[in-house]
Every structure is written in C-alpha cells, then in structure tokens.
Amino acid sequence: MNDETTAATALSEPPSRLMRFEAEIGSPRQTLKADKRLCVGPPGNVFVFGGVLFGSALAVLEDHLQRPVIWSTIQFLGPLRPGEVLELGVEVPGPGRTILQARVVGRVDDREIFLASAALGVRDEPLDHAWDHAPEVPPPEACETAKLWPHGQEPGTLLETLEMRIAPGAFAEAEPTGRLADSGRAVFWMRARKDLPMDISVLALFADFTPYALSKALGGGLGGVSLDNTLRVVRRVETDWILCDARIQGIRSGFAHGDIRLFARTGELMAIGGQSMNAWPPRPR
C-alpha cells in the first residue's frame, strides 16, 4: 500500500495478522482470545502487550468501517491475561461523509480493559510531503541485534517473535549506569520474525516501543508502563524493517512522556506515536 487510496481499497481483503479474531471479519462485535504469544512480562505476571491491544482495536475499526485510520488513541484501564477472551465493540457516534469518528471498548465480561477512539477516512487531495526525515543510520543488516528486555520474560511470549537491531554510535546499547542519560533519544530497527502485512495493527504494535527509549534515558532502569498510546498515520508502505526514532521529552512526579516516529526502510515517514508512562527512577549500582 503506497498511498491512502490504495490503503482504503486494500481494507476489504481479509488480512493475515499477529492476532486472530474469532468473529467474522468486519463484524462490529469482535472477540480475541489472549494467547501467550501476544503477551509480555515475567513468570506469574504475564499480560497482553499494550501495542497488541491498540492494534487489535484499530484493526477491528478498519475491518468494520472500511476506511483507514488517520488518528487514534487508547487508554489502558487494566491488564488482559493469557486465556481471557476480550470482547471488542465498535461504536460510531460521528458518521461524517468523509471522516468517521468512532470508538472501541474492550471488555472481559464486565471489566473494561481499554477505551480507544479514532478518526478514519480519506480526502482526495494531491499534496503529499513530509518534513520529518529518517535519521541517517546504517541498514539493519549492519546493526547489532538487541536483547528485547530479556530479564525475567516468560518463555514463548511476544518478544521472541520480534527482532530489534540497534544503530551504532550514540544509540548503541551500553551497560546500565543507574544515572540519567544525557539524551532521551533511541534509534533502532524493528521487524516481526514472521512476515506480516504492513497494516494498522503492525504500526500500532511498533509504536508502543517508546518505553525502550525511556529505559535508556533512565540509565538502564525498568522503563515504564503505558497509560495511553496515540497513533497518527501518514502513509503505509510495505517494508521488511521499520526504523523507529523514539524520544523521551521529560519525566516528573512519576510520569514520563515521549513520542516515536516510524519510517520505512526506504525512508518514508509512516506514522507518529506518543504515550505517557508510569516511570521508575534509576537505581544506583
């Protein structure tokens, strides 16, 4: 998909995604069983990754409304555990002619897991330009493979299905210092080990890696747990690797705020994400 028009047309095709919905594609009431490969966390505290929940909500919206997401946000209200069945319900309070305003509520029985809102649509305008440019870093093949939060992760969970490679130089991995870093920026390549179409669920998944930059900014601390995610989609480009440029703007009163830009291997700006996180200060070593 190289532009928004193509993206809108392609929405009618049943996609192959990381998550597997149980109801018919396009249904406004969808279900998703939380299996372990969608989860992160240490043994005894495994939960579905926030980017998977966000991607699921946006995929359900696009499947049902047959329009591409322009802007979207999600608030996380509670964890989804392995084996639980998530019910996703679509509501469309703003059915405009060109732009639809819609939301998805995710529940397990009477317990709300998330609230997501989005604007979806396409406008027939010729202007096509991006002022943000991909940082100049070596291709993923020339970068070092990173260990995605390896300490204490439950085997067979989500991070084993993903691959991250770190740009050398200023962004290279370093031993934890326990001190605040001079920069809150991290640049890295990401991909799924299993080929996935570059749809909205993949963009939402990779945009949820802003906490990696927080961990580096905190000198190797634990990073943070997302309170929310926001995703703005510029274009969709089929690409094997996504270059992620994540920045933490600041931290205060136990909360950190950051954003992330997602670029195709060929340099096109695909999406901009942002989130606020519970944050833990670094511990002196």
Side-chain angles (χ1 to χ4, degrees), residues 177-190:
T177 65
R179 301 186 303 273
L180 294 178
D182 293 334
S183 170
R185 186 182 182 194
V187 176
F188 49 94
W189 293 95
M190 289 282 298

Side-chain angles (χ1 to χ4, degrees), residues 260-281:
I260 189 168
R261 282 153 177 77
L262 306 181
F263 297 91
R265 179 196 276 266
T266 44
E268 294 92 341
L269 176 64
M270 300 176 71
I272 306 103
Q275 61 191 115
S276 300
M277 298 153 275
N278 285 316
W280 293 274

